[in-house]
Short mmCIF file of all heavy atoms in Angstrom, two decimals:
data_model
loop_
_atom_site.label_atom_id
_atom_site.label_comp_id
_atom_site.label_asym_id
_atom_site.label_seq_id
_atom_site.Cartn_x
_atom_site.Cartn_y
_atom_site.Cartn_z
N MET R 1 -131.52 219.66 -1.22
CA MET R 1 -130.28 219.65 -0.47
C MET R 1 -130.64 219.46 1.00
O MET R 1 -131.44 220.19 1.55
CB MET R 1 -129.54 220.97 -0.69
CG MET R 1 -128.30 221.07 0.14
SD MET R 1 -127.40 222.64 0.17
CE MET R 1 -127.72 223.43 -1.33
N GLY R 2 -130.04 218.47 1.63
CA GLY R 2 -130.25 218.22 3.04
C GLY R 2 -129.29 219.02 3.89
O GLY R 2 -128.45 219.76 3.40
N SER R 3 -129.42 218.84 5.16
CA SER R 3 -128.48 219.53 6.05
C SER R 3 -127.83 218.51 6.97
O SER R 3 -128.38 217.45 7.23
CB SER R 3 -129.19 220.61 6.87
OG SER R 3 -130.15 220.03 7.72
N THR R 4 -126.66 218.85 7.43
CA THR R 4 -125.88 217.99 8.30
C THR R 4 -125.35 218.83 9.45
O THR R 4 -125.11 220.03 9.28
CB THR R 4 -124.70 217.38 7.52
OG1 THR R 4 -125.21 216.67 6.40
CG2 THR R 4 -123.89 216.44 8.37
N VAL R 5 -125.15 218.22 10.57
CA VAL R 5 -124.63 218.93 11.74
C VAL R 5 -123.11 218.98 11.66
O VAL R 5 -122.47 217.98 11.37
CB VAL R 5 -125.07 218.24 13.05
CG1 VAL R 5 -124.40 218.86 14.25
CG2 VAL R 5 -126.58 218.27 13.18
N LEU R 6 -122.55 220.14 11.92
CA LEU R 6 -121.12 220.33 12.02
C LEU R 6 -120.84 220.89 13.40
O LEU R 6 -121.37 221.93 13.78
CB LEU R 6 -120.62 221.31 10.95
CG LEU R 6 -119.16 221.77 11.10
CD1 LEU R 6 -118.21 220.59 10.88
CD2 LEU R 6 -118.87 222.89 10.11
N SER R 7 -120.02 220.21 14.14
CA SER R 7 -119.66 220.67 15.48
C SER R 7 -118.21 221.08 15.46
O SER R 7 -117.36 220.39 14.89
CB SER R 7 -119.88 219.52 16.47
OG SER R 7 -119.46 219.89 17.76
N LEU R 8 -117.91 222.23 16.05
CA LEU R 8 -116.52 222.65 16.12
C LEU R 8 -116.23 223.29 17.46
O LEU R 8 -117.10 223.81 18.12
CB LEU R 8 -116.15 223.59 14.97
CG LEU R 8 -116.88 224.91 14.90
CD1 LEU R 8 -115.84 226.00 14.69
CD2 LEU R 8 -117.83 224.87 13.72
N ARG R 9 -114.97 223.24 17.83
CA ARG R 9 -114.53 223.79 19.10
C ARG R 9 -113.69 225.03 18.80
O ARG R 9 -112.73 224.96 18.04
CB ARG R 9 -113.70 222.75 19.84
CG ARG R 9 -113.27 223.15 21.22
CD ARG R 9 -112.44 222.06 21.85
NE ARG R 9 -113.05 220.76 21.72
CZ ARG R 9 -113.60 220.09 22.74
NH1 ARG R 9 -113.59 220.60 23.94
NH2 ARG R 9 -114.13 218.89 22.54
N ILE R 10 -114.10 226.17 19.38
CA ILE R 10 -113.33 227.39 19.22
C ILE R 10 -113.16 228.03 20.59
O ILE R 10 -113.96 227.78 21.50
CB ILE R 10 -114.00 228.38 18.23
CG1 ILE R 10 -115.38 228.81 18.71
CG2 ILE R 10 -114.08 227.80 16.85
CD1 ILE R 10 -116.00 229.88 17.85
N ASP R 11 -112.14 228.85 20.73
CA ASP R 11 -111.92 229.46 22.03
C ASP R 11 -112.94 230.57 22.30
O ASP R 11 -113.61 231.06 21.38
CB ASP R 11 -110.48 229.96 22.19
CG ASP R 11 -110.12 231.13 21.30
OD1 ASP R 11 -111.03 231.83 20.82
OD2 ASP R 11 -108.92 231.37 21.11
N GLY R 12 -113.07 230.93 23.55
CA GLY R 12 -114.08 231.88 23.97
C GLY R 12 -113.92 233.25 23.33
O GLY R 12 -114.92 233.90 22.98
N GLU R 13 -112.68 233.71 23.16
CA GLU R 13 -112.45 235.02 22.56
C GLU R 13 -112.94 235.07 21.11
O GLU R 13 -113.59 236.03 20.69
CB GLU R 13 -110.96 235.35 22.61
CG GLU R 13 -110.62 236.73 22.08
CD GLU R 13 -109.13 237.03 22.18
OE1 GLU R 13 -108.50 236.65 23.18
OE2 GLU R 13 -108.62 237.63 21.22
N LEU R 14 -112.64 234.01 20.35
CA LEU R 14 -113.11 233.96 18.97
C LEU R 14 -114.63 233.89 18.91
O LEU R 14 -115.26 234.58 18.10
CB LEU R 14 -112.49 232.76 18.23
CG LEU R 14 -112.95 232.55 16.79
CD1 LEU R 14 -112.69 233.79 15.93
CD2 LEU R 14 -112.26 231.34 16.19
N LEU R 15 -115.23 233.10 19.78
CA LEU R 15 -116.70 233.01 19.79
C LEU R 15 -117.31 234.37 20.11
O LEU R 15 -118.31 234.76 19.48
CB LEU R 15 -117.17 231.96 20.80
CG LEU R 15 -118.69 231.78 20.90
CD1 LEU R 15 -119.30 231.44 19.54
CD2 LEU R 15 -119.02 230.72 21.93
N ASP R 16 -116.74 235.10 21.04
CA ASP R 16 -117.25 236.43 21.35
C ASP R 16 -117.17 237.35 20.14
O ASP R 16 -118.11 238.10 19.86
CB ASP R 16 -116.47 237.05 22.52
CG ASP R 16 -116.79 236.40 23.85
OD1 ASP R 16 -117.84 235.73 23.96
OD2 ASP R 16 -115.98 236.56 24.79
N ARG R 17 -116.06 237.29 19.41
CA ARG R 17 -115.92 238.11 18.21
C ARG R 17 -116.96 237.72 17.16
O ARG R 17 -117.57 238.59 16.53
CB ARG R 17 -114.51 237.99 17.63
CG ARG R 17 -113.49 238.73 18.49
CD ARG R 17 -112.07 238.75 17.95
NE ARG R 17 -111.85 238.29 16.61
CZ ARG R 17 -110.91 237.41 16.27
NH1 ARG R 17 -110.13 236.87 17.17
NH2 ARG R 17 -110.75 237.06 15.01
N VAL R 18 -117.15 236.42 16.97
CA VAL R 18 -118.14 235.95 15.99
C VAL R 18 -119.54 236.40 16.41
O VAL R 18 -120.34 236.85 15.59
CB VAL R 18 -118.07 234.42 15.81
CG1 VAL R 18 -119.22 233.91 14.97
CG2 VAL R 18 -116.75 234.03 15.17
N ARG R 19 -119.84 236.31 17.70
CA ARG R 19 -121.15 236.77 18.20
C ARG R 19 -121.36 238.25 17.91
O ARG R 19 -122.45 238.66 17.51
CB ARG R 19 -121.26 236.52 19.69
CG ARG R 19 -121.58 235.10 20.05
CD ARG R 19 -121.77 234.96 21.56
NE ARG R 19 -122.12 233.59 21.89
CZ ARG R 19 -121.64 232.94 22.93
NH1 ARG R 19 -120.81 233.52 23.76
NH2 ARG R 19 -122.01 231.70 23.15
N ARG R 20 -120.33 239.06 18.13
CA ARG R 20 -120.45 240.50 17.86
C ARG R 20 -120.68 240.76 16.38
O ARG R 20 -121.54 241.57 16.00
CB ARG R 20 -119.21 241.25 18.35
CG ARG R 20 -119.16 241.40 19.86
CD ARG R 20 -118.12 242.41 20.30
NE ARG R 20 -116.77 242.09 19.84
CZ ARG R 20 -115.89 241.34 20.52
NH1 ARG R 20 -116.22 240.80 21.66
NH2 ARG R 20 -114.69 241.11 20.02
N HIS R 21 -119.92 240.09 15.52
CA HIS R 21 -120.10 240.27 14.07
C HIS R 21 -121.50 239.83 13.65
O HIS R 21 -122.15 240.51 12.86
CB HIS R 21 -119.07 239.47 13.28
CG HIS R 21 -117.70 240.05 13.32
ND1 HIS R 21 -117.35 241.21 12.67
CD2 HIS R 21 -116.57 239.65 13.95
CE1 HIS R 21 -116.09 241.49 12.88
NE2 HIS R 21 -115.58 240.54 13.67
N ALA R 22 -121.95 238.72 14.19
CA ALA R 22 -123.28 238.22 13.85
C ALA R 22 -124.36 239.20 14.31
O ALA R 22 -125.29 239.49 13.56
CB ALA R 22 -123.51 236.84 14.49
N ALA R 23 -124.21 239.72 15.52
CA ALA R 23 -125.20 240.67 16.06
C ALA R 23 -125.25 241.93 15.20
O ALA R 23 -126.34 242.45 14.91
CB ALA R 23 -124.86 241.01 17.50
N ARG R 24 -124.09 242.43 14.77
CA ARG R 24 -124.07 243.62 13.91
C ARG R 24 -124.78 243.37 12.59
O ARG R 24 -125.34 244.29 11.99
CB ARG R 24 -122.64 244.07 13.64
CG ARG R 24 -122.09 244.96 14.73
CD ARG R 24 -120.73 245.42 14.35
NE ARG R 24 -119.84 244.39 14.88
CZ ARG R 24 -118.54 244.40 14.90
NH1 ARG R 24 -117.90 245.40 14.37
NH2 ARG R 24 -117.85 243.44 15.42
N SER R 25 -124.72 242.12 12.13
CA SER R 25 -125.39 241.76 10.88
C SER R 25 -126.84 241.35 11.10
O SER R 25 -127.54 241.02 10.14
CB SER R 25 -124.65 240.61 10.21
OG SER R 25 -123.32 240.97 9.92
N GLY R 26 -127.28 241.33 12.36
CA GLY R 26 -128.65 240.93 12.66
C GLY R 26 -128.89 239.45 12.42
O GLY R 26 -129.99 239.06 12.03
N MET R 27 -127.87 238.65 12.64
CA MET R 27 -127.95 237.22 12.35
C MET R 27 -127.62 236.41 13.59
O MET R 27 -126.97 236.91 14.51
CB MET R 27 -126.96 236.85 11.24
CG MET R 27 -127.10 237.64 9.98
SD MET R 27 -125.77 237.29 8.82
CE MET R 27 -126.41 235.82 8.08
N SER R 28 -128.02 235.15 13.56
CA SER R 28 -127.58 234.22 14.59
C SER R 28 -126.13 233.84 14.29
O SER R 28 -125.65 234.01 13.16
CB SER R 28 -128.45 232.96 14.60
OG SER R 28 -128.21 232.19 13.44
N VAL R 29 -125.44 233.32 15.30
CA VAL R 29 -124.07 232.87 15.09
C VAL R 29 -124.04 231.80 14.01
O VAL R 29 -123.19 231.81 13.12
CB VAL R 29 -123.44 232.37 16.40
CG1 VAL R 29 -122.11 231.67 16.15
CG2 VAL R 29 -123.25 233.52 17.39
N GLN R 30 -124.99 230.87 14.07
CA GLN R 30 -125.03 229.79 13.08
C GLN R 30 -125.19 230.35 11.67
O GLN R 30 -124.44 229.98 10.76
CB GLN R 30 -126.18 228.84 13.39
CG GLN R 30 -126.35 227.75 12.35
CD GLN R 30 -127.51 226.82 12.67
OE1 GLN R 30 -127.88 226.68 13.82
NE2 GLN R 30 -128.08 226.21 11.66
N ASP R 31 -126.15 231.26 11.47
CA ASP R 31 -126.36 231.83 10.15
C ASP R 31 -125.16 232.62 9.67
O ASP R 31 -124.78 232.57 8.51
CB ASP R 31 -127.60 232.72 10.13
CG ASP R 31 -128.89 231.92 10.24
OD1 ASP R 31 -128.87 230.70 10.00
OD2 ASP R 31 -129.92 232.53 10.59
N TYR R 32 -124.52 233.35 10.58
CA TYR R 32 -123.34 234.14 10.23
C TYR R 32 -122.20 233.24 9.76
O TYR R 32 -121.56 233.51 8.75
CB TYR R 32 -122.91 234.99 11.42
CG TYR R 32 -121.71 235.85 11.12
CD1 TYR R 32 -121.84 237.06 10.46
CD2 TYR R 32 -120.43 235.44 11.49
CE1 TYR R 32 -120.73 237.85 10.16
CE2 TYR R 32 -119.32 236.22 11.21
CZ TYR R 32 -119.48 237.42 10.55
OH TYR R 32 -118.38 238.18 10.25
N VAL R 33 -121.96 232.16 10.50
CA VAL R 33 -120.87 231.25 10.14
C VAL R 33 -121.16 230.58 8.80
O VAL R 33 -120.29 230.50 7.93
CB VAL R 33 -120.64 230.20 11.26
CG1 VAL R 33 -119.69 229.10 10.79
CG2 VAL R 33 -120.09 230.88 12.51
N VAL R 34 -122.39 230.14 8.60
CA VAL R 34 -122.74 229.50 7.33
C VAL R 34 -122.58 230.48 6.18
O VAL R 34 -122.01 230.16 5.14
CB VAL R 34 -124.17 228.92 7.38
CG1 VAL R 34 -124.66 228.52 6.00
CG2 VAL R 34 -124.24 227.74 8.33
N ARG R 35 -123.06 231.71 6.36
CA ARG R 35 -122.93 232.72 5.30
C ARG R 35 -121.46 232.98 4.98
O ARG R 35 -121.07 233.10 3.82
CB ARG R 35 -123.59 234.03 5.73
CG ARG R 35 -123.55 235.07 4.61
CD ARG R 35 -123.93 236.43 5.10
NE ARG R 35 -122.82 236.92 5.93
CZ ARG R 35 -122.73 238.15 6.39
NH1 ARG R 35 -123.69 239.01 6.15
NH2 ARG R 35 -121.70 238.53 7.11
N THR R 36 -120.63 233.03 6.01
CA THR R 36 -119.20 233.27 5.81
C THR R 36 -118.56 232.12 5.04
O THR R 36 -117.76 232.34 4.13
CB THR R 36 -118.50 233.47 7.17
OG1 THR R 36 -119.12 234.58 7.83
CG2 THR R 36 -117.02 233.73 7.00
N LEU R 37 -118.93 230.89 5.39
CA LEU R 37 -118.38 229.73 4.68
C LEU R 37 -118.83 229.70 3.23
O LEU R 37 -118.04 229.41 2.33
CB LEU R 37 -118.79 228.43 5.39
CG LEU R 37 -118.15 228.20 6.75
CD1 LEU R 37 -118.82 227.01 7.44
CD2 LEU R 37 -116.66 227.99 6.62
N VAL R 38 -120.09 230.02 2.99
CA VAL R 38 -120.60 230.03 1.61
C VAL R 38 -119.90 231.10 0.80
O VAL R 38 -119.48 230.88 -0.34
CB VAL R 38 -122.13 230.23 1.60
CG1 VAL R 38 -122.64 230.57 0.21
CG2 VAL R 38 -122.84 229.01 2.15
N ARG R 39 -119.72 232.29 1.39
CA ARG R 39 -119.04 233.38 0.69
C ARG R 39 -117.60 233.00 0.37
O ARG R 39 -117.11 233.23 -0.73
CB ARG R 39 -119.08 234.65 1.54
CG ARG R 39 -118.47 235.85 0.83
CD ARG R 39 -118.52 237.10 1.67
NE ARG R 39 -117.73 236.91 2.86
CZ ARG R 39 -118.09 237.29 4.09
NH1 ARG R 39 -119.24 237.90 4.28
NH2 ARG R 39 -117.31 237.07 5.12
N ASP R 40 -116.91 232.39 1.33
CA ASP R 40 -115.53 231.97 1.11
C ASP R 40 -115.45 230.93 0.00
O ASP R 40 -114.58 230.99 -0.85
CB ASP R 40 -114.93 231.43 2.41
CG ASP R 40 -113.45 231.15 2.28
OD1 ASP R 40 -112.70 232.08 1.93
OD2 ASP R 40 -113.05 229.99 2.53
N ASP R 41 -116.39 229.98 0.01
CA ASP R 41 -116.43 228.95 -1.03
C ASP R 41 -116.66 229.59 -2.39
O ASP R 41 -116.00 229.25 -3.38
CB ASP R 41 -117.52 227.92 -0.73
CG ASP R 41 -117.61 226.85 -1.79
OD1 ASP R 41 -116.61 226.13 -2.00
OD2 ASP R 41 -118.68 226.74 -2.42
N PHE R 42 -117.58 230.57 -2.47
CA PHE R 42 -117.82 231.26 -3.73
C PHE R 42 -116.56 231.97 -4.20
O PHE R 42 -116.19 231.90 -5.37
CB PHE R 42 -118.96 232.28 -3.59
CG PHE R 42 -119.10 233.16 -4.81
CD1 PHE R 42 -119.76 232.70 -5.93
CD2 PHE R 42 -118.53 234.42 -4.83
CE1 PHE R 42 -119.87 233.49 -7.07
CE2 PHE R 42 -118.63 235.22 -5.96
CZ PHE R 42 -119.30 234.76 -7.07
N ASP R 43 -115.88 232.68 -3.28
CA ASP R 43 -114.66 233.40 -3.63
C ASP R 43 -113.61 232.46 -4.22
O ASP R 43 -112.96 232.78 -5.21
CB ASP R 43 -114.08 234.13 -2.42
CG ASP R 43 -114.94 235.31 -1.96
OD1 ASP R 43 -115.84 235.72 -2.72
OD2 ASP R 43 -114.70 235.80 -0.84
N GLU R 44 -113.45 231.28 -3.61
CA GLU R 44 -112.48 230.31 -4.12
C GLU R 44 -112.86 229.82 -5.50
O GLU R 44 -112.01 229.71 -6.39
CB GLU R 44 -112.36 229.14 -3.16
CG GLU R 44 -111.61 229.45 -1.88
CD GLU R 44 -111.50 228.24 -0.98
OE1 GLU R 44 -111.63 227.10 -1.48
OE2 GLU R 44 -111.29 228.45 0.23
N ARG R 45 -114.16 229.51 -5.69
CA ARG R 45 -114.60 229.02 -7.01
C ARG R 45 -114.48 230.11 -8.06
O ARG R 45 -114.10 229.85 -9.21
CB ARG R 45 -116.03 228.49 -6.93
CG ARG R 45 -116.12 227.18 -6.15
CD ARG R 45 -117.52 226.60 -6.12
NE ARG R 45 -118.37 227.43 -5.28
CZ ARG R 45 -119.55 227.92 -5.66
NH1 ARG R 45 -120.03 227.67 -6.85
NH2 ARG R 45 -120.26 228.67 -4.84
N PHE R 46 -114.79 231.36 -7.69
CA PHE R 46 -114.67 232.47 -8.63
C PHE R 46 -113.21 232.68 -9.04
O PHE R 46 -112.90 232.84 -10.22
CB PHE R 46 -115.24 233.75 -8.01
CG PHE R 46 -115.19 234.93 -8.93
CD1 PHE R 46 -116.11 235.06 -9.95
CD2 PHE R 46 -114.23 235.91 -8.78
CE1 PHE R 46 -116.07 236.14 -10.83
CE2 PHE R 46 -114.17 237.00 -9.64
CZ PHE R 46 -115.09 237.12 -10.65
N GLU R 47 -112.32 232.65 -8.05
CA GLU R 47 -110.89 232.81 -8.35
C GLU R 47 -110.39 231.70 -9.26
O GLU R 47 -109.64 231.95 -10.20
CB GLU R 47 -110.09 232.82 -7.05
CG GLU R 47 -108.62 233.13 -7.26
CD GLU R 47 -107.85 233.24 -5.97
OE1 GLU R 47 -108.42 233.66 -4.96
OE2 GLU R 47 -106.65 232.89 -5.99
N ALA R 48 -110.85 230.47 -9.02
CA ALA R 48 -110.45 229.35 -9.88
C ALA R 48 -110.96 229.56 -11.30
O ALA R 48 -110.25 229.27 -12.27
CB ALA R 48 -110.96 228.03 -9.30
N ALA R 49 -112.18 230.08 -11.44
CA ALA R 49 -112.74 230.33 -12.77
C ALA R 49 -111.96 231.41 -13.50
O ALA R 49 -111.69 231.30 -14.71
CB ALA R 49 -114.21 230.72 -12.65
N VAL R 50 -111.56 232.46 -12.77
CA VAL R 50 -110.77 233.53 -13.38
C VAL R 50 -109.42 232.98 -13.82
O VAL R 50 -108.95 233.27 -14.94
CB VAL R 50 -110.59 234.71 -12.39
CG1 VAL R 50 -109.54 235.70 -12.90
CG2 VAL R 50 -111.93 235.42 -12.17
N ASP R 51 -108.79 232.18 -12.97
CA ASP R 51 -107.50 231.58 -13.34
C ASP R 51 -107.63 230.71 -14.58
O ASP R 51 -106.78 230.74 -15.47
CB ASP R 51 -106.94 230.75 -12.17
CG ASP R 51 -106.50 231.61 -11.00
OD1 ASP R 51 -106.34 232.84 -11.16
OD2 ASP R 51 -106.31 231.04 -9.90
N GLU R 52 -108.70 229.92 -14.64
CA GLU R 52 -108.92 229.05 -15.80
C GLU R 52 -109.13 229.88 -17.07
O GLU R 52 -108.61 229.55 -18.14
CB GLU R 52 -110.12 228.13 -15.55
CG GLU R 52 -110.38 227.13 -16.66
CD GLU R 52 -109.26 226.13 -16.85
OE1 GLU R 52 -108.52 225.84 -15.88
OE2 GLU R 52 -109.11 225.62 -17.98
N THR R 53 -109.87 230.97 -16.95
CA THR R 53 -110.09 231.86 -18.09
C THR R 53 -108.77 232.47 -18.55
O THR R 53 -108.51 232.55 -19.76
CB THR R 53 -111.10 232.96 -17.72
OG1 THR R 53 -112.33 232.35 -17.35
CG2 THR R 53 -111.34 233.91 -18.89
N ASP R 54 -107.95 232.90 -17.59
CA ASP R 54 -106.64 233.45 -17.94
C ASP R 54 -105.79 232.41 -18.67
O ASP R 54 -105.10 232.74 -19.65
CB ASP R 54 -105.89 233.93 -16.68
CG ASP R 54 -106.40 235.26 -16.16
OD1 ASP R 54 -107.16 235.94 -16.88
OD2 ASP R 54 -106.02 235.62 -15.03
N ARG R 55 -105.83 231.17 -18.20
CA ARG R 55 -105.05 230.12 -18.88
C ARG R 55 -105.59 229.87 -20.30
O ARG R 55 -104.82 229.65 -21.23
CB ARG R 55 -105.08 228.83 -18.07
CG ARG R 55 -104.12 228.82 -16.89
CD ARG R 55 -103.96 227.45 -16.29
NE ARG R 55 -105.16 226.93 -15.69
CZ ARG R 55 -105.62 227.24 -14.46
NH1 ARG R 55 -104.94 228.08 -13.72
NH2 ARG R 55 -106.72 226.71 -14.01
N PHE R 56 -106.91 229.92 -20.45
CA PHE R 56 -107.51 229.64 -21.74
C PHE R 56 -107.21 230.75 -22.75
O PHE R 56 -106.85 230.49 -23.89
CB PHE R 56 -109.03 229.48 -21.58
CG PHE R 56 -109.72 229.11 -22.85
CD1 PHE R 56 -109.67 227.81 -23.34
CD2 PHE R 56 -110.43 230.06 -23.58
CE1 PHE R 56 -110.32 227.46 -24.51
CE2 PHE R 56 -111.08 229.72 -24.75
CZ PHE R 56 -111.02 228.43 -25.22
N TYR R 57 -107.38 232.00 -22.32
CA TYR R 57 -107.19 233.13 -23.22
C TYR R 57 -105.81 233.72 -23.18
O TYR R 57 -105.48 234.60 -23.98
CB TYR R 57 -108.21 234.23 -22.91
CG TYR R 57 -109.62 233.85 -23.31
CD1 TYR R 57 -110.57 233.55 -22.35
CD2 TYR R 57 -109.99 233.81 -24.64
CE1 TYR R 57 -111.85 233.21 -22.69
CE2 TYR R 57 -111.28 233.47 -25.00
CZ TYR R 57 -112.20 233.16 -24.02
OH TYR R 57 -113.47 232.81 -24.39
N GLY R 58 -104.99 233.29 -22.23
CA GLY R 58 -103.68 233.90 -22.06
C GLY R 58 -103.81 235.05 -21.08
O GLY R 58 -104.72 235.86 -21.21
N ALA R 59 -102.95 235.09 -20.12
CA ALA R 59 -103.05 236.10 -19.05
C ALA R 59 -103.03 237.50 -19.64
O ALA R 59 -102.18 237.85 -20.44
CB ALA R 59 -101.89 235.91 -18.06
N HIS R 60 -104.04 238.28 -19.26
CA HIS R 60 -104.15 239.70 -19.63
C HIS R 60 -104.10 239.92 -21.14
O HIS R 60 -103.54 240.90 -21.61
CB HIS R 60 -103.05 240.51 -18.93
CG HIS R 60 -103.03 240.30 -17.45
ND1 HIS R 60 -104.05 240.69 -16.63
CD2 HIS R 60 -102.12 239.71 -16.66
CE1 HIS R 60 -103.75 240.35 -15.38
NE2 HIS R 60 -102.60 239.76 -15.38
N GLY R 61 -104.62 238.97 -21.89
CA GLY R 61 -104.71 239.13 -23.33
C GLY R 61 -103.36 239.07 -24.05
O GLY R 61 -103.27 239.42 -25.20
N ALA R 62 -102.34 238.61 -23.36
CA ALA R 62 -101.01 238.57 -23.97
C ALA R 62 -100.82 237.39 -24.88
O ALA R 62 -101.47 236.43 -24.85
CB ALA R 62 -99.93 238.53 -22.89
#
């Protein structure tokens, strides 16, 4: 898997908050943002899998 550059513009207040969260986690801002995006992507895929399972088996075993 290769890597690609992503550039984004955020306001100073949000960047300060992200910096504080990253520092509390002992991470760089870049690593913190990537970890957050990966976690969010996993959450979405997991939720989709649960929904698909519910459709396959019937919601809540009904």
Side-chain angles (χ1 to χ4, degrees):
M1 176 187 333
S3 64
T4 303
V5 173
L6 170 66
S7 176
L8 62 132
R9 185 181 312 252
I10 61 174
D11 68 19
E13 183 179 321
L14 177 57
L15 180 57
D16 288 341
R17 287 184 10 229
V18 171
R19 281 184 178 139
R20 285 194 302 271
H21 287 289
R24 275 183 271 186
S25 299
M27 305 172 83
S28 69
V29 170
Q30 176 181 334
D31 289 342
Y32 181 82
V33 170
V34 168
R35 184 192 72 171
T36 302
L37 291 170
V38 167
R39 184 180 63 223
D40 187 56
D41 179 61
F42 171 81
D43 291 347
E44 287 181 21
R45 289 183 290 128
F46 182 77
E47 186 176 329
V50 168
D51 291 345
E52 183 64 27
T53 300
D54 283 347
R55 281 192 295 279
F56 183 77
Y57 289 107
H60 307 294

